[in-house]
Structure formats: structure tokens, C-alpha cells
Amino acid sequence: MARKRVYSGIRATGRLHLGNYLGAVKGMLALQDKYDCVFSVVDAHTITVPYDPKTLRQSVRDIILDYLAAGLDPKKCKLEIQSQIPQHTELAYYLATIYPVSRLEDLPTYKEKKAQYPKYVNMGLLYYPVLMAADVLLYKGELVPVGIDQEPHLEVMREIARKFNSMFGETFPEPKRFATSGQYVPSLAGGGKMSKSIEGSFITLSDDLETIKKRLAAAPTDSGTLGGNLPKEGGVANLFMLLKLFVLDDVYNKFVHDYKDKKIRYSELKAVLADAIYKELKPLQERRRRFEQNPKLVDEILEESKAKCLKIAESTMQEVREKMGLV
Ligand code: TYM
């Protein structure tokens, strides 16, 4: 029996942060041993918001290097640069013809981006979830390792798959999200999630220990004398959430007790957390340097993956064109 297909992608908007790593890349790492995986840098999605064409290619390369550094293994999975597989945009257009505009206008991510860039409300932004559906369906992906913020997009993907299947015959599986324990990594800035577009909210995979300490030092806390249960939101809640993702239970529980007993020292918590984060990131940073020093190897990995991806993509497109009556 063929192995289940897995697909995920990350936009090329700068170096990966802990949210990307724990919410998406950790899921990719968990799945690459078992399934037939394609992991992408989705550059066609990246250009839906203002960007610099002069640096885009390097940003794409940076994500590829971060993928390899994190341990994605080209012997086990395919690495894709989305725009090099033109079937993505072809399928997206065909799928757009069966999906209502009103549903896309209602999506929270579209509304957020509209508010963030009021002078850049382009068709690509509205089209974003359709292209994302095409990304996964092109490979008939069944599992999608992404953070919880992507769930509305997964719902659109399933709706599109169902609609296509009912109109043109059974073709696509209905993809499910693969969740990790870090499916929602909180911001360091006190509220919301860790995000590249919010300064002070993130730690990147390339940060050294000093930078991690500096970023954590700026994270808001309280007087440390409130006691009782941990707060559910805000700076302290977020710090504890991060701590839980990086340290063993007994270390976490010690700080919870300190908090309850009104004797917590946030400087101590932040020092423990910084060390734990750096311990996880150091091997990634070393591996990244090895790939950076060997650009030819990275090029070969990409070429080999591209050939395999093109083959699968073209096979799906032939089926789609036939079923839609285009050939
Ligand atoms: P993007 O580039 O915004 O984010 C990449 C991945 O990182 C996850 N993520 C988080 N997870 C937990 N906590 C956080 N604070 C956090 N911040 C980001 C995201 O959930 C995502 O998994 N639409 C996608 C890109 C995409 C895609 C696809 C994904 C395009 N086509 C097909 C999967 C399949 C996006 O904007 O991700």
C-alpha cells in the first residue's frame, strides 16, 4: 500500500522562529520517518504582502537551510520551492472556479491582512487559501503539520476537496492537521502568539545564548508576589507556556510552586528557560553552518527533489484536467 502523503509549507518572511519550529517543523520531523513527505518554501504565498524582490531568493534559501539545519532529511522527504512547481498555480486557478468568494472574504486571516496592509489588498491575498488548498491537494496530501492558526485554512482545503470530488468524481483526500505540543507558541511581548511581524515577540533559530537572554529579559512579568493559580493570559502565562515546552516536568513544577508560594524569581526562570532553548538550538546552528559551507550539496538536494515533485504534480494535473473536461 502507498504511504500516506504529507505536505506543509512556510513563507519566506525571514529566519524561522520558535513558533514555526515547534508548531510546524517539529511535526515535519515527526512525520518524515513514516510518510511520503513534501516540505515547501511557499514563495508564491510570500509575495501577497509587501516584499523586496531583491532579497526574496535569499529568504527562500534561508528557509531551506533552516529546514536542513532542523533535521529534515532529503533522503526521507522532498524539499520544494513552490514557484518552481508551476502546477500549484494551475491547480489553484481551477479550484478557484468552484469556491465562493464570500467564504474567502469571511476568513480571519484575510481580514487581519486587510487591516495590516490597507493599501495592499490584492487578489492574491483573497486567493491565498485556495492556493494553499492547491498546495496540499496537488500532492493528494492527507496530513498537514502546521500550527493551530492554520486550522481555518485546513477547513477551506477540506471544503474544496469535497466540492471537487462531488462535482468531478472522487479525486482528493480531505487533509487533516497534524498537531504538535507546540501548536500555539505564545509571544514574548505579553499577549497573542509569537509572530515575525511583531517585534519583541520572537526568538529565531539562529539566536545565540546572549540574544535569547536579552529577548527573554524584555518579556513582561509581574511583581512575583501575587501567589495562587497561574494567570491564564499575559506575560507570565506566556513565559510558563514556553517553559513547559522546553524543560522537564519537575523543573516546570518547581517554578509553578514558587509562583503559588509568592517566591518566584523571574530572573531565575528566564535563565533556566534561555539555557534550555539554547541547548535545543545549538546543534541546529552547527548543522546549518555545515550546509551553508556546502552550497553545491544544497543545490543538488533541491534539484533532485524538484524532479520528483514535478512528476507527482504533473500526474495529478493530468487527472484534474481530464476530470474537468479540459482535455
Ligand atoms: P507561516 O509562514 O505563517 O507559518 C509557518 C508555520 O509556522 C506555524 N506558526 C506557529 N505555530 C505555533 N505557534 C506560533 N506562534 C506560530 N507561528 C507560526 C504556522 O502555523 C505554520 O505552520 N499559510 C501558511 C503557509 C502555507 C502552507 C501551505 C502550510 C502555504 N501553503 C500548505 C501548509 C500547507 C503560513 O502562512 O504559514
Side-chain angles (χ1 to χ4, degrees):
M1 220 177 73
R3 285 187 305 165
K4 253 190 205 173
R5 193 68 54 63
V6 174
Y7 185 97
S8 190
I10 295 185
R11 286 172 302 145
T13 47
R15 300 291 297 278
L16 296 189
H17 57 66
L18 288 182
N20 304 135
Y21 177 60
L22 299 172
V25 179
K26 281 268 193 166
M28 300 180 191
L29 289 167
L31 296 172
Q32 70 171 350
D33 288 323
K34 266 199 263 166
Y35 299 113
D36 182 2
C37 298
V38 181
F39 298 129
S40 186
V41 183
V42 287
D43 49 354
H45 278 103
T46 310
I47 62 174
T48 55
V49 294
Y51 75 102
D52 182 358
K54 290 195 202 74
T55 55
L56 181 61
R57 277 170 69 88
Q58 184 53 47
S59 306
V60 170
R61 186 78 171 192
D62 275 334
I63 305 288
I64 292 287
L65 287 168
D66 273 344
Y67 274 165
L68 291 166
L72 292 188
D73 180 350
K75 290 196 192 74
K76 296 179 183 164
C77 63
K78 293 173 263 300
L79 295 180
E80 177 202 64
I81 295 172
Q82 184 191 29
S83 63
Q84 295 186 356
I85 311 293
Q87 288 86 348
H88 280 290
T89 41
E90 184 186 359
L91 181 59
Y93 175 76
Y94 292 159
L95 298 180
T97 66
I98 64 166
Y99 200 70
V101 173
S102 55
R103 177 81 174 85
L104 293 171
E105 283 169 334
D106 272 349
L107 283 174
T109 38
Y110 176 63
K111 289 183 182 160
E112 277 161 28
K113 286 283 182 293
K114 248 172 81 169
Q116 198 179 349
Y117 305 105
K119 296 207 174 94
Y120 214 79
V121 185
N122 58 75
M123 278 294 290
L125 216 46
L126 185 67
Y127 204 72
Y128 187 110
V130 180
L131 179 58
M132 184 162 159
D135 291 342
V136 177
L137 299 180
L138 184 63
Y139 293 99
K140 302 198 177 184
E142 291 180 66
L143 272 180
V144 185
V146 282
I148 200 161
D149 60 314
Q150 298 297 312
E151 196 53 56
H153 291 153
L154 265 287
E155 194 47 49
V156 171
M157 226 176 258
R158 289 188 285 268
E159 284 171 21
I160 291 182
R162 274 198 295 276
K163 184 93 181 280
F164 188 97
N165 292 345
S166 74
M167 288 173 76
F168 306 109
E170 198 61 30
T171 309
F172 297 119
E174 287 183 34
K176 287 193 189 66
R177 189 170 69 88
F178 177 82
T180 61
S181 55
Q183 63 173 343
Y184 179 89
V185 177
S187 160
L188 297 183
K193 65 165 187 157
M194 187 174 285
S195 161
K196 205 51 201 269
S197 54
I198 303 170
E199 202 39 60
S201 83
F202 58 83
I203 288 172
T204 78
L205 299 193
S206 52
D207 287 346
D208 58 20
L209 185 58
E210 276 319 297
T211 310
I212 296 172
K213 282 186 174 160
K214 229 187 282 160
R215 294 197 199 266
L216 284 177
T221 53
D222 57 26
S223 63
T225 54
L226 298 176
N229 290 333
L230 288 180
K232 291 207 166 34
E233 54 188 35
V236 170
N238 286 3
L239 271 181
F240 270 94
M241 233 190 277
L242 263 182
L243 189 67
K244 200 170 176 52
L245 289 166
F246 282 97
V247 301
L248 296 172
D249 282 352
D250 53 345
V251 177
Y252 176 79
N253 291 337
K254 171 214 160 338
F255 284 107
V256 174
H257 282 121
D258 285 356
Y259 183 88
K260 281 192 173 136
D261 300 344
K262 305 183 187 181
K263 58 177 197 198
I264 187 150
R265 284 173 48 232
Y266 289 113
S267 57
E268 184 193 346
L269 184 155
K270 286 179 175 181
V272 168
L273 180 56
D275 283 338
I277 292 173
Y278 185 61
K279 192 167 161 228
E280 172 114 14
L281 297 189
K282 195 164 171 260
L284 274 70
Q285 295 173 2
E286 285 164 3
R287 211 175 304 137
R288 181 171 163 122
R289 270 193 288 279
R290 288 204 294 279
F291 281 107
E292 272 172 346
Q293 286 159 3
N294 199 345
K296 209 165 148 258
L297 172 66
V298 178
D299 289 342
E300 279 164 18
I301 290 170
L302 290 173
E303 275 310 307
E304 217 174 285
S305 281
K306 181 178 160 187
K308 290 183 194 156
C309 288
L310 278 170
K311 220 165 136 198
I312 307 170
E314 188 46 28
S315 151
T316 304
M317 282 320 297
Q318 270 174 20
E319 185 184 348
V320 166
R321 292 182 208 114
E322 271 167 36
K323 285 189 168 157
M324 293 185 82
L326 293 159
V327 287

